mmCIF file of all heavy atoms in Angstrom:
data_model
loop_
_atom_site.group_PDB
_atom_site.id
_atom_site.type_symbol
_atom_site.label_atom_id
_atom_site.label_comp_id
_atom_site.label_asym_id
_atom_site.label_seq_id
_atom_site.Cartn_x
_atom_site.Cartn_y
_atom_site.Cartn_z
ATOM 1 N N GLN A 181 96.052 130.288 132.579
ATOM 2 C CA GLN A 181 97.510 130.186 132.436
ATOM 3 C C GLN A 181 97.951 130.651 131.043
ATOM 4 O O GLN A 181 99.050 131.166 130.880
ATOM 5 C CB GLN A 181 97.944 128.734 132.678
ATOM 6 C CG GLN A 181 99.451 128.590 132.846
ATOM 7 C CD GLN A 181 99.898 127.133 132.958
ATOM 8 O OE1 GLN A 181 99.373 126.252 132.269
ATOM 9 N NE2 GLN A 181 100.865 126.884 133.807
ATOM 10 N N TYR A 219 81.515 121.672 126.784
ATOM 11 C CA TYR A 219 81.869 120.313 127.181
ATOM 12 C C TYR A 219 80.557 119.558 127.388
ATOM 13 O O TYR A 219 79.697 120.002 128.144
ATOM 14 C CB TYR A 219 82.667 120.327 128.481
ATOM 15 C CG TYR A 219 82.757 118.952 129.107
ATOM 16 C CD1 TYR A 219 83.736 118.055 128.696
ATOM 17 C CD2 TYR A 219 81.842 118.539 130.066
ATOM 18 C CE1 TYR A 219 83.804 116.778 129.241
ATOM 19 C CE2 TYR A 219 81.907 117.256 130.618
ATOM 20 C CZ TYR A 219 82.885 116.382 130.199
ATOM 21 O OH TYR A 219 82.946 115.128 130.736
ATOM 22 N N GLY A 249 82.566 110.081 126.006
ATOM 23 C CA GLY A 249 81.684 108.923 125.849
ATOM 24 C C GLY A 249 81.687 108.467 124.398
ATOM 25 O O GLY A 249 80.648 108.153 123.830
ATOM 26 N N LYS A 250 82.863 108.418 123.788
ATOM 27 C CA LYS A 250 83.000 108.016 122.382
ATOM 28 C C LYS A 250 82.985 106.500 122.249
ATOM 29 O O LYS A 250 82.418 105.964 121.340
ATOM 30 C CB LYS A 250 84.352 108.468 121.835
ATOM 31 C CG LYS A 250 84.467 109.916 121.505
ATOM 32 C CD LYS A 250 85.910 110.239 121.123
ATOM 33 C CE LYS A 250 86.216 109.898 119.680
ATOM 34 N NZ LYS A 250 85.783 110.909 118.728
ATOM 35 N N THR A 251 83.712 105.860 123.149
ATOM 36 C CA THR A 251 83.878 104.414 123.049
ATOM 37 C C THR A 251 82.899 103.739 123.999
ATOM 38 O O THR A 251 82.296 104.386 124.845
ATOM 39 C CB THR A 251 85.300 104.026 123.474
ATOM 40 O OG1 THR A 251 85.486 104.508 124.816
ATOM 41 C CG2 THR A 251 86.337 104.668 122.577
ATOM 42 N N GLU A 285 89.104 116.765 120.246
ATOM 43 C CA GLU A 285 89.309 115.462 120.866
ATOM 44 C C GLU A 285 90.048 115.565 122.198
ATOM 45 O O GLU A 285 89.908 114.714 123.057
ATOM 46 C CB GLU A 285 90.102 114.544 119.929
ATOM 47 C CG GLU A 285 89.411 114.246 118.610
ATOM 48 C CD GLU A 285 88.110 113.483 118.794
ATOM 49 O OE1 GLU A 285 87.951 112.781 119.811
ATOM 50 O OE2 GLU A 285 87.224 113.620 117.921
ATOM 51 N N GLU A 288 93.718 120.229 125.018
ATOM 52 C CA GLU A 288 94.591 121.167 124.311
ATOM 53 C C GLU A 288 93.916 121.677 123.038
ATOM 54 O O GLU A 288 93.895 122.870 122.761
ATOM 55 C CB GLU A 288 95.912 120.479 123.919
ATOM 56 C CG GLU A 288 96.917 120.405 125.037
ATOM 57 C CD GLU A 288 98.268 119.807 124.581
ATOM 58 O OE1 GLU A 288 98.390 119.358 123.420
ATOM 59 O OE2 GLU A 288 99.183 119.793 125.396
ATOM 60 N N GLY A 316 113.643 121.621 109.249
ATOM 61 C CA GLY A 316 113.000 120.391 109.700
ATOM 62 C C GLY A 316 111.559 120.613 110.108
ATOM 63 O O GLY A 316 110.660 119.884 109.693
ATOM 64 N N ASP A 323 104.072 118.473 105.929
ATOM 65 C CA ASP A 323 103.414 117.166 106.083
ATOM 66 C C ASP A 323 102.039 117.314 106.713
ATOM 67 O O ASP A 323 101.043 116.828 106.197
ATOM 68 C CB ASP A 323 104.217 116.275 107.053
ATOM 69 C CG ASP A 323 105.360 115.540 106.383
ATOM 70 O OD1 ASP A 323 105.321 115.393 105.150
ATOM 71 O OD2 ASP A 323 106.284 115.121 107.099
ATOM 72 N N GLN A 324 102.038 117.958 107.841
ATOM 73 C CA GLN A 324 100.821 117.950 108.652
ATOM 74 C C GLN A 324 99.752 118.873 108.070
ATOM 75 O O GLN A 324 98.565 118.547 108.100
ATOM 76 C CB GLN A 324 101.158 118.308 110.100
ATOM 77 C CG GLN A 324 102.071 117.247 110.726
ATOM 78 C CD GLN A 324 102.499 117.562 112.157
ATOM 79 O OE1 GLN A 324 102.165 118.610 112.692
ATOM 80 N NE2 GLN A 324 103.245 116.654 112.760
ATOM 81 N N ASN A 424 106.799 129.036 124.824
ATOM 82 C CA ASN A 424 106.444 130.213 125.612
ATOM 83 C C ASN A 424 106.726 130.052 127.088
ATOM 84 O O ASN A 424 106.701 128.948 127.624
ATOM 85 C CB ASN A 424 104.950 130.495 125.449
ATOM 86 C CG ASN A 424 104.653 131.176 124.140
ATOM 87 O OD1 ASN A 424 105.104 132.306 123.913
ATOM 88 N ND2 ASN A 424 103.923 130.501 123.263
ATOM 89 N N ARG A 445 100.162 121.820 116.912
ATOM 90 C CA ARG A 445 98.950 122.438 117.432
ATOM 91 C C ARG A 445 98.532 123.603 116.530
ATOM 92 O O ARG A 445 97.330 123.859 116.344
ATOM 93 C CB ARG A 445 99.149 122.866 118.881
ATOM 94 C CG ARG A 445 99.186 121.651 119.799
ATOM 95 C CD ARG A 445 99.734 121.938 121.173
ATOM 96 N NE ARG A 445 98.859 122.778 121.964
ATOM 97 C CZ ARG A 445 99.090 123.075 123.253
ATOM 98 N NH1 ARG A 445 100.172 122.583 123.857
ATOM 99 N NH2 ARG A 445 98.266 123.841 123.914
ATOM 100 N N ILE A 604 80.463 93.388 102.734
ATOM 101 C CA ILE A 604 81.690 93.545 103.496
ATOM 102 C C ILE A 604 81.982 94.998 103.913
ATOM 103 O O ILE A 604 82.452 95.275 104.998
ATOM 104 C CB ILE A 604 82.848 93.019 102.606
ATOM 105 C CG1 ILE A 604 84.039 92.695 103.435
ATOM 106 C CG2 ILE A 604 83.162 93.913 101.466
ATOM 107 C CD1 ILE A 604 83.866 91.373 104.098
ATOM 108 N N TYR A 605 81.674 95.931 103.006
ATOM 109 C CA TYR A 605 82.057 97.317 103.258
ATOM 110 C C TYR A 605 81.368 97.867 104.493
ATOM 111 O O TYR A 605 81.977 98.499 105.335
ATOM 112 C CB TYR A 605 81.731 98.203 102.052
ATOM 113 C CG TYR A 605 82.482 97.803 100.833
ATOM 114 C CD1 TYR A 605 81.889 97.009 99.861
ATOM 115 C CD2 TYR A 605 83.814 98.174 100.679
ATOM 116 C CE1 TYR A 605 82.597 96.609 98.749
ATOM 117 C CE2 TYR A 605 84.540 97.774 99.570
ATOM 118 C CZ TYR A 605 83.917 96.987 98.607
ATOM 119 O OH TYR A 605 84.622 96.585 97.515
ATOM 120 N N ILE A 636 84.734 103.500 94.096
ATOM 121 C CA ILE A 636 84.108 102.407 93.345
ATOM 122 C C ILE A 636 82.934 102.923 92.517
ATOM 123 O O ILE A 636 82.659 102.415 91.432
ATOM 124 C CB ILE A 636 83.594 101.321 94.327
ATOM 125 C CG1 ILE A 636 84.787 100.696 95.040
ATOM 126 C CG2 ILE A 636 82.759 100.259 93.617
ATOM 127 C CD1 ILE A 636 84.397 99.728 96.150
ATOM 128 N N GLN B 181 112.963 123.295 129.336
ATOM 129 C CA GLN B 181 111.835 123.932 130.019
ATOM 130 C C GLN B 181 111.044 122.906 130.845
ATOM 131 O O GLN B 181 110.472 123.246 131.872
ATOM 132 C CB GLN B 181 110.908 124.587 128.980
ATOM 133 C CG GLN B 181 109.898 125.540 129.595
ATOM 134 C CD GLN B 181 108.909 126.091 128.576
ATOM 135 O OE1 GLN B 181 108.478 125.407 127.663
ATOM 136 N NE2 GLN B 181 108.552 127.359 128.745
ATOM 137 N N TYR B 219 115.645 112.472 115.405
ATOM 138 C CA TYR B 219 114.920 113.208 114.374
ATOM 139 C C TYR B 219 115.551 112.831 113.048
ATOM 140 O O TYR B 219 116.756 112.967 112.863
ATOM 141 C CB TYR B 219 115.045 114.710 114.609
ATOM 142 C CG TYR B 219 114.606 115.509 113.402
ATOM 143 C CD1 TYR B 219 113.261 115.818 113.197
ATOM 144 C CD2 TYR B 219 115.529 115.923 112.439
ATOM 145 C CE1 TYR B 219 112.857 116.519 112.078
ATOM 146 C CE2 TYR B 219 115.123 116.632 111.311
ATOM 147 C CZ TYR B 219 113.791 116.925 111.139
ATOM 148 O OH TYR B 219 113.384 117.619 110.031
ATOM 149 N N GLY B 249 108.647 114.260 106.246
ATOM 150 C CA GLY B 249 108.581 113.862 104.842
ATOM 151 C C GLY B 249 107.592 112.731 104.667
ATOM 152 O O GLY B 249 107.849 111.779 103.944
ATOM 153 N N LYS B 250 106.457 112.812 105.321
ATOM 154 C CA LYS B 250 105.433 111.764 105.247
ATOM 155 C C LYS B 250 104.609 111.895 103.988
ATOM 156 O O LYS B 250 104.251 110.934 103.370
ATOM 157 C CB LYS B 250 104.444 111.920 106.414
ATOM 158 C CG LYS B 250 104.919 111.436 107.727
ATOM 159 C CD LYS B 250 103.895 111.791 108.795
ATOM 160 C CE LYS B 250 102.759 110.780 108.866
ATOM 161 N NZ LYS B 250 103.118 109.560 109.589
ATOM 162 N N GLU B 285 104.562 111.598 116.082
ATOM 163 C CA GLU B 285 104.082 112.452 114.992
ATOM 164 C C GLU B 285 104.304 113.930 115.283
ATOM 165 O O GLU B 285 104.394 114.728 114.367
ATOM 166 C CB GLU B 285 102.583 112.205 114.762
ATOM 167 C CG GLU B 285 102.229 110.795 114.338
ATOM 168 C CD GLU B 285 102.857 110.406 113.016
ATOM 169 O OE1 GLU B 285 103.151 111.291 112.191
ATOM 170 O OE2 GLU B 285 103.072 109.191 112.815
ATOM 171 N N GLU B 288 105.593 117.403 120.709
ATOM 172 C CA GLU B 288 105.106 117.080 122.052
ATOM 173 C C GLU B 288 105.165 115.581 122.315
ATOM 174 O O GLU B 288 105.647 115.135 123.349
ATOM 175 C CB GLU B 288 103.640 117.535 122.210
ATOM 176 C CG GLU B 288 103.476 118.999 122.494
ATOM 177 C CD GLU B 288 102.005 119.393 122.749
ATOM 178 O OE1 GLU B 288 101.101 118.551 122.593
ATOM 179 O OE2 GLU B 288 101.785 120.550 123.097
ATOM 180 N N GLY B 316 84.398 113.940 134.381
ATOM 181 C CA GLY B 316 84.454 114.203 132.946
ATOM 182 C C GLY B 316 85.773 113.776 132.335
ATOM 183 O O GLY B 316 85.810 113.087 131.312
ATOM 184 N N ASP B 323 87.704 106.801 127.274
ATOM 185 C CA ASP B 323 87.573 106.802 125.810
ATOM 186 C C ASP B 323 88.922 106.619 125.137
ATOM 187 O O ASP B 323 89.102 105.770 124.272
ATOM 188 C CB ASP B 323 87.059 108.177 125.332
ATOM 189 C CG ASP B 323 85.547 108.310 125.398
ATOM 190 O OD1 ASP B 323 84.869 107.275 125.422
ATOM 191 O OD2 ASP B 323 85.071 109.460 125.417
ATOM 192 N N GLN B 324 89.840 107.469 125.517
ATOM 193 C CA GLN B 324 91.095 107.540 124.771
ATOM 194 C C GLN B 324 92.009 106.354 125.079
ATOM 195 O O GLN B 324 92.673 105.823 124.189
ATOM 196 C CB GLN B 324 91.788 108.880 125.048
ATOM 197 C CG GLN B 324 90.946 110.035 124.513
ATOM 198 C CD GLN B 324 91.541 111.412 124.807
ATOM 199 O OE1 GLN B 324 92.574 111.544 125.455
ATOM 200 N NE2 GLN B 324 90.875 112.458 124.326
ATOM 201 N N ASN B 424 100.907 122.389 134.925
ATOM 202 C CA ASN B 424 102.159 122.684 135.620
ATOM 203 C C ASN B 424 102.629 124.111 135.426
ATOM 204 O O ASN B 424 102.362 124.742 134.409
ATOM 205 C CB ASN B 424 103.255 121.749 135.110
ATOM 206 C CG ASN B 424 103.135 120.371 135.714
ATOM 207 O OD1 ASN B 424 103.287 120.220 136.924
ATOM 208 N ND2 ASN B 424 102.838 119.379 134.887
ATOM 209 N N ARG B 445 97.765 113.552 126.519
ATOM 210 C CA ARG B 445 99.192 113.263 126.344
ATOM 211 C C ARG B 445 99.605 112.096 127.240
ATOM 212 O O ARG B 445 100.474 111.298 126.867
ATOM 213 C CB ARG B 445 100.015 114.519 126.612
ATOM 214 C CG ARG B 445 99.852 115.529 125.462
ATOM 215 C CD ARG B 445 100.319 116.918 125.802
ATOM 216 N NE ARG B 445 101.759 117.003 125.940
ATOM 217 C CZ ARG B 445 102.407 118.166 126.132
ATOM 218 N NH1 ARG B 445 101.721 119.313 126.187
ATOM 219 N NH2 ARG B 445 103.710 118.178 126.245
ATOM 220 N N ILE B 604 89.549 96.121 94.587
ATOM 221 C CA ILE B 604 89.177 97.359 95.239
ATOM 222 C C ILE B 604 89.931 97.628 96.551
ATOM 223 O O ILE B 604 90.307 98.742 96.851
ATOM 224 C CB ILE B 604 87.656 97.280 95.517
ATOM 225 C CG1 ILE B 604 87.084 98.642 95.694
ATOM 226 C CG2 ILE B 604 87.325 96.355 96.629
ATOM 227 C CD1 ILE B 604 86.861 99.304 94.411
ATOM 228 N N TYR B 605 90.159 96.580 97.326
ATOM 229 C CA TYR B 605 90.725 96.775 98.668
ATOM 230 C C TYR B 605 92.106 97.390 98.585
ATOM 231 O O TYR B 605 92.442 98.316 99.298
ATOM 232 C CB TYR B 605 90.799 95.448 99.431
ATOM 233 C CG TYR B 605 89.444 94.869 99.651
ATOM 234 C CD1 TYR B 605 88.950 93.877 98.824
ATOM 235 C CD2 TYR B 605 88.637 95.363 100.659
ATOM 236 C CE1 TYR B 605 87.684 93.361 99.010
ATOM 237 C CE2 TYR B 605 87.363 94.854 100.854
ATOM 238 C CZ TYR B 605 86.888 93.852 100.024
ATOM 239 O OH TYR B 605 85.638 93.360 100.209
ATOM 240 N N ILE B 636 87.363 89.401 106.630
ATOM 241 C CA ILE B 636 86.861 88.616 105.499
ATOM 242 C C ILE B 636 87.505 87.235 105.473
ATOM 243 O O ILE B 636 86.887 86.259 105.076
ATOM 244 C CB ILE B 636 87.150 89.365 104.175
ATOM 245 C CG1 ILE B 636 86.390 90.679 104.163
ATOM 246 C CG2 ILE B 636 86.814 88.504 102.974
ATOM 247 C CD1 ILE B 636 86.710 91.554 102.977
#
Side-chain angles (χ1 to χ4, degrees):
Chain A
Q181 192 185 39
Y219 166 84
K250 283 174 82 81
T251 58
E285 298 296 335
E288 279 184 355
D323 276 340
Q324 296 178 357
N424 282 296
R445 288 165 69 174
I604 200 79
Y605 298 98
I636 295 173
Chain B
Q181 194 185 37
Y219 166 85
K250 282 174 83 79
E285 298 298 334
E288 280 184 354
D323 276 339
Q324 295 177 358
N424 282 296
R445 287 165 70 174
I604 202 79
Y605 297 99
I636 297 174

